[in-house]
Amino acid sequence: MAEEIKVIVFGLAHEEYGIEVEKVRTIERMMPITRVPKTPSFIKGVINLRGVVLPVIDLRGRFSLAESEETESSRIIIVAVNDLEVGFIVDSANDVIDIDPDFIDSPPEVVGGIKAKYLRGVAKIGDSRLLIMLNLSEVLNKSEIIQLEQQEV
Protein backbone atom coordinates (compact mmCIF):
# COMPACT_ATOMS: atom_id res chain seq x y z
CA MET A 1 0.00 0.00 0.00
CA ALA A 2 1.35 3.40 -0.98
CA GLU A 3 1.74 6.07 1.66
CA GLU A 4 -1.45 8.08 2.15
CA ILE A 5 -1.49 11.70 1.06
CA LYS A 6 -3.09 14.47 3.11
CA VAL A 7 -5.54 16.53 1.10
CA ILE A 8 -7.44 19.78 1.76
CA VAL A 9 -11.04 19.30 0.60
CA PHE A 10 -12.83 22.34 -0.79
CA GLY A 11 -16.18 22.97 -2.43
CA LEU A 12 -16.77 24.55 -5.81
CA ALA A 13 -20.10 24.54 -7.67
CA HIS A 14 -21.57 21.60 -5.70
CA GLU A 15 -18.50 19.39 -6.27
CA GLU A 16 -15.68 18.45 -3.89
CA TYR A 17 -12.07 19.04 -4.90
CA GLY A 18 -8.74 18.26 -3.31
CA ILE A 19 -5.30 19.84 -3.16
CA GLU A 20 -2.36 18.16 -1.43
CA VAL A 21 -1.71 19.74 1.98
CA GLU A 22 1.98 20.32 1.24
CA LYS A 23 1.02 22.71 -1.59
CA VAL A 24 -1.29 24.78 0.64
CA ARG A 25 0.23 27.62 2.65
CA THR A 26 -2.89 28.95 4.42
CA ILE A 27 -6.65 29.21 4.09
CA GLU A 28 -7.97 32.73 4.55
CA ARG A 29 -11.38 34.35 4.87
CA MET A 30 -12.36 36.60 1.98
CA MET A 31 -10.63 39.98 2.05
CA PRO A 32 -10.52 43.06 -0.18
CA ILE A 33 -9.12 42.21 -3.63
CA THR A 34 -7.54 44.93 -5.78
CA ARG A 35 -8.34 44.53 -9.49
CA VAL A 36 -5.40 44.48 -11.89
CA PRO A 37 -6.04 45.81 -15.41
CA LYS A 38 -5.39 43.74 -18.54
CA THR A 39 -5.61 40.35 -16.86
CA PRO A 40 -7.85 37.40 -17.78
CA SER A 41 -11.30 37.66 -16.17
CA PHE A 42 -10.63 34.71 -13.83
CA ILE A 43 -7.71 36.61 -12.24
CA LYS A 44 -9.63 38.65 -9.70
CA GLY A 45 -6.68 40.82 -8.70
CA VAL A 46 -4.21 40.90 -5.83
CA ILE A 47 -4.41 40.80 -2.04
CA ASN A 48 -2.04 42.04 0.62
CA LEU A 49 -1.55 39.07 2.94
CA ARG A 50 0.57 40.04 5.95
CA GLY A 51 2.71 42.35 3.82
CA VAL A 52 2.99 40.02 0.80
CA VAL A 53 1.10 40.89 -2.39
CA LEU A 54 -0.40 37.75 -3.95
CA PRO A 55 -2.44 37.26 -7.14
CA VAL A 56 -5.92 35.79 -6.64
CA ILE A 57 -7.66 33.46 -9.11
CA ASP A 58 -11.36 32.67 -9.07
CA LEU A 59 -11.40 28.91 -9.66
CA ARG A 60 -15.00 29.07 -10.90
CA GLY A 61 -13.88 31.50 -13.61
CA ARG A 62 -10.74 29.47 -14.33
CA PHE A 63 -12.85 26.39 -15.02
CA SER A 64 -15.58 28.31 -16.91
CA LEU A 65 -18.16 27.52 -14.22
CA ALA A 66 -21.01 29.89 -13.39
CA GLU A 67 -19.93 32.69 -11.04
CA SER A 68 -21.53 32.83 -7.62
CA GLU A 69 -21.90 35.38 -4.91
CA GLU A 70 -19.38 35.45 -2.09
CA THR A 71 -20.79 33.82 1.04
CA GLU A 72 -19.80 33.49 4.68
CA SER A 73 -18.11 30.18 3.81
CA SER A 74 -16.13 31.51 0.79
CA ARG A 75 -12.38 31.18 1.29
CA ILE A 76 -9.09 32.02 -0.37
CA ILE A 77 -6.75 29.02 -0.38
CA ILE A 78 -3.13 30.18 -0.69
CA VAL A 79 -1.12 27.61 -2.66
CA ALA A 80 2.51 27.45 -3.73
CA VAL A 81 3.36 26.09 -7.16
CA ASN A 82 6.85 26.34 -8.69
CA ASP A 83 7.98 29.13 -6.32
CA LEU A 84 4.82 31.13 -7.04
CA GLU A 85 2.22 31.76 -4.34
CA VAL A 86 -1.34 32.31 -5.52
CA GLY A 87 -4.74 32.55 -3.88
CA PHE A 88 -7.68 30.48 -5.16
CA ILE A 89 -11.20 31.68 -4.39
CA VAL A 90 -13.37 28.67 -3.49
CA ASP A 91 -16.93 28.28 -2.21
CA SER A 92 -15.79 26.60 1.00
CA ALA A 93 -12.85 24.78 2.56
CA ASN A 94 -14.30 21.80 4.36
CA ASP A 95 -11.88 19.24 5.59
CA VAL A 96 -8.45 17.63 5.67
CA ILE A 97 -8.46 13.93 4.83
CA ASP A 98 -5.98 11.15 4.08
CA ILE A 99 -6.26 9.46 0.68
CA ASP A 100 -4.63 6.24 -0.44
CA PRO A 101 -3.03 7.03 -3.84
CA ASP A 102 -4.18 3.59 -5.04
CA PHE A 103 -7.76 4.92 -4.92
CA ILE A 104 -7.03 7.83 -7.28
CA ASP A 105 -8.16 7.02 -10.82
CA SER A 106 -7.15 8.83 -13.99
CA PRO A 107 -9.54 11.66 -14.73
CA PRO A 108 -12.22 11.23 -17.39
CA GLU A 109 -12.13 13.76 -20.27
CA VAL A 110 -14.47 16.15 -18.42
CA VAL A 111 -15.60 16.17 -14.79
CA GLY A 112 -18.19 18.70 -13.67
CA GLY A 113 -17.48 20.71 -16.81
CA ILE A 114 -13.74 20.85 -16.13
CA LYS A 115 -11.25 19.59 -18.73
CA ALA A 116 -9.06 16.62 -17.76
CA LYS A 117 -5.79 18.58 -18.15
CA TYR A 118 -6.64 20.53 -14.97
CA LEU A 119 -7.22 17.32 -13.03
CA ARG A 120 -4.77 14.93 -11.44
CA GLY A 121 -7.45 12.32 -10.98
CA VAL A 122 -10.60 11.37 -9.14
CA ALA A 123 -10.25 9.85 -5.67
CA LYS A 124 -12.80 7.33 -4.42
CA ILE A 125 -13.56 7.87 -0.75
CA GLY A 126 -15.76 5.27 0.89
CA ASP A 127 -18.63 3.88 -1.14
CA SER A 128 -20.19 7.00 -2.60
CA ARG A 129 -17.91 10.01 -2.26
CA LEU A 130 -15.73 11.23 -5.12
CA LEU A 131 -13.05 13.88 -4.73
CA ILE A 132 -11.70 15.67 -7.80
CA MET A 133 -7.93 16.12 -7.40
CA LEU A 134 -6.50 19.25 -9.05
CA ASN A 135 -3.35 19.33 -11.13
CA LEU A 136 -2.05 22.70 -9.87
CA SER A 137 0.71 23.06 -12.43
CA GLU A 138 -1.94 22.98 -15.20
CA VAL A 139 -4.41 25.18 -13.31
CA LEU A 140 -1.57 27.72 -13.32
CA ASN A 141 -0.15 27.01 -16.74
CA LYS A 142 3.22 28.42 -17.72
CA SER A 143 2.07 31.40 -19.79
CA GLU A 144 -0.25 32.52 -17.00
CA ILE A 145 2.47 32.07 -14.39
CA ILE A 146 4.75 34.32 -16.45
CA GLN A 147 1.94 36.86 -16.74
CA LEU A 148 1.34 36.73 -12.95
CA GLU A 149 5.04 37.04 -12.14
CA GLN A 150 5.34 40.12 -14.35
CA GLN A 151 2.60 41.81 -12.31
CA GLU A 152 4.61 41.53 -9.10
CA VAL A 153 6.25 44.90 -9.41
Side-chain angles (χ1 to χ4, degrees):
M1 182 170 131
E3 191 172 322
E4 291 192 328
I5 50 175
K6 280 204 176 311
V7 173
I8 302 269
V9 178
F10 65 91
L12 197 65
H14 309 294
E15 299 286 348
E16 286 189 310
Y17 295 83
I19 299 176
E20 293 93 337
V21 166
E22 72 260 9
K23 294 185 175 145
V24 175
R25 294 286 183 251
T26 67
I27 299 174
E28 303 289 333
R29 291 189 174 275
M30 293 303 292
M31 59 184 72
I33 298 173
T34 304
R35 280 288 303 151
V36 177
K38 296 186 179 135
T39 57
S41 61
F42 62 83
I43 298 177
K44 288 299 174 198
V46 293
I47 57 172
N48 182 343
L49 184 64
R50 295 181 273 286
V52 178
V53 176
L54 300 173
V56 176
I57 291 176
D58 182 356
L59 276 186
R60 279 179 172 260
R62 180 69 178 109
F63 298 148
S64 303
L65 301 171
E67 284 200 28
S68 75
E69 292 297 311
E70 219 176 88
T71 67
E72 189 60 34
S73 57
S74 297
R75 295 288 181 268
I76 300 175
I77 299 179
I78 309 299
V79 299
V81 184
N82 306 328
D83 300 327
L84 176 69
E85 287 194 18
V86 177
F88 288 146
I89 298 173
V90 300
D91 296 346
S92 60
N94 307 327
D95 213 351
V96 177
I97 60 173
D98 292 317
I99 295 179
D100 183 335
D102 295 340
F103 292 127
I104 300 176
D105 291 339
S106 299
E109 282 305 301
V110 174
V111 177
I114 300 173
K115 293 186 187 80
K117 73 174 188 172
Y118 297 130
L119 308 177
R120 177 176 156 197
V122 177
K124 291 188 217 104
I125 302 161
D127 291 335
S128 59
R129 193 171 169 197
L130 292 177
L131 185 66
I132 302 165
M133 300 292 296
L134 290 187
N135 176 350
L136 289 186
S137 53
E138 267 308 321
V139 172
L140 295 167
N141 75 32
K142 298 235 183 308
S143 63
E144 285 152 4
I145 290 172
I146 290 164
Q147 191 176 356
L148 288 171
E149 286 172 339
Q150 288 169 347
Q151 289 166 14
E152 295 175 17
V153 190

